[in-house]
Amino acid sequence: MRYSDDVLSPGWRHADKPKTVDVTVSVGMVVEEPTSGFCGAVVRWENGLVVLEDRKGARRSFEFGPGFWLDGRPVALRQPVATRPSAPTHTASGSRVGPSEPAKVAAASRIYVEGRHDAELVEKIWGDDLRHVGVVVEPLGGINDLPAIVTEFAPGPGRRLGVLVDHLVTGSKESRIVAEISSDFVLVTGHPFVDIWAAVRPQRLGLERWPDIPRDIEWKAGASVALRRTARNPAEIAATWAWILGRVRDWRDLDPALPREVERLIDFVTTDLG
């Protein structure tokens, strides 16, 4: 009579033992390390170690590899394969990302904005778009000298000038100055906000709405207080702006009045670019 199993065949000692299989860890997976008797859920992994936490909250770290049990079966724990983050498909302004191109020489056309904070916000949202067309954004500094600045710029075909003005509303000082500008190659537009800070949606900053600041208080200082930040000197106000700018992710964090006018300016200054 022949036995069904040949005890002399290779591997007969392990014939009934379960084989260890590779398992990729995930947060919450419950495994046991039988040598120590520690059983716990995976909470994280780092530097070649997996961290387990038992039901009492105690944590222990173990090296990846074999020697663990999962659902009554021996396993070798493996780290997840790191994947590269997918490339963005759209810029912060909402434009579709095109193929990579060599850097372009700056065009003669320019966009001027009223102040450094304005320039930084425009750069954050529209910087990729502007670099794509080679248009440079420069801070204007102040609106009072705008007619002289336009004359010095000498706008013309292929040398267009777009200007973004704060608080451009009917009857304001800004509107009267802008009325002095007359050129087919200059577009002056603006937004209704007293300061570019207020173009950021207040809800993004933890406010229901931007506060009404009394005229005898500098607007940025009053806004800083509303944001529960100090404004005792220019450095603290600059820090508040850096915090605000850091909360802005893309065009959706802005009041639509600003993107509408910035995009008008970009379209205008790129009209006759080759």
Side-chain angles (χ1 to χ4, degrees):
M1 175 179 179
R2 292 183 59 85
Y3 291 100
S4 58
D5 295 312
D6 185 353
V7 296
L8 299 180
S9 64
W12 68 272
R13 293 179 181 274
H14 308 288
D16 296 328
K17 293 183 178 181
K19 293 182 179 180
T20 297
V21 296
D22 288 348
V23 172
T24 301
V25 299
S26 60
V27 173
M29 175 187 291
V30 178
V31 297
E32 178 185 359
E33 200 283 318
T35 301
S36 64
F38 192 87
C39 181
V42 175
V43 291
R44 69 174 188 276
W45 50 89
E46 57 189 6
N47 301 322
L49 299 175
V50 58
V51 182
L52 306 181
E53 180 179 279
D54 68 13
R55 58 181 61 183
K56 295 181 179 180
R59 293 189 177 188
R60 289 191 61 178
S61 299
F62 300 93
E63 291 186 2
F64 279 98
F68 297 90
W69 284 76
L70 173 67
D71 297 331
R73 306 286 293 181
V75 297
L77 296 184
R78 306 298 181 193
Q79 294 189 64
V81 177
T83 57
R84 293 183 179 180
S86 58
T89 58
H90 292 78
T91 68
S93 71
S95 300
R96 185 172 293 278
V97 174
S100 298
E101 296 180 344
K104 292 189 176 183
V105 176
S109 297
R110 290 285 188 274
I111 292 178
Y112 285 176
V113 296
E114 195 178 352
R116 182 171 60 86
H117 293 177
D118 304 59
E120 290 172 348
L121 182 57
V122 170
E123 161 61 28
K124 181 162 189 176
I125 304 301
W126 291 276
D128 290 338
D129 301 2
L130 291 164
R131 280 185 288 277
H132 177 71
V133 294
V135 172
V136 175
V137 174
E138 298 182 8
L140 180 61
I143 189 68
N144 293 334
D145 299 326
L146 182 58
I149 291 172
V150 170
T151 300
E152 182 180 356
F153 184 82
R159 187 177 174 80
R160 292 173 176 259
L161 178 61
V163 183
L164 182 71
V165 177
D166 290 347
H167 199 228
L168 188 59
V169 295
T170 302
S172 65
K173 176 192 72 174
E174 290 80 5
S175 67
R176 292 191 294 271
I177 294 173
V178 168
E180 300 177 30
I181 310 300
S182 178
S183 171
D184 292 338
F185 303 100
V186 177
L187 173 63
V188 182
T189 186
H191 55 73
F193 314 110
V194 68
D195 190 278
I196 196 67
W197 291 20
V200 178
R201 290 184 183 273
Q203 295 79 9
R204 184 67 188 143
L205 307 175
L207 299 174
E208 291 187 8
R209 66 182 187 87
W210 283 100
D212 295 322
I213 308 299
R215 291 182 177 273
D216 59 339
I217 298 177
E218 199 276 325
W219 194 89
K220 287 186 173 72
S224 296
V225 172
L227 292 167
R228 298 184 179 181
R229 300 181 63 89
T230 55
R232 294 167 296 190
N233 53 55
E236 290 184 344
I237 290 178
T240 295
W241 168 243
W243 177 81
I244 293 172
L245 191 62
R247 300 284 295 170
V248 176
R249 300 161 299 186
D250 56 36
W251 63 274
R252 288 168 292 194
D253 290 333
L254 305 177
D255 186 291
L258 180 64
R260 180 177 61 244
E261 299 309 321
V262 172
E263 287 162 13
R264 278 187 65 201
L265 291 174
I266 294 174
D267 289 344
F268 177 79
V269 298
T270 57
T271 296
D272 47 13
L273 294 183

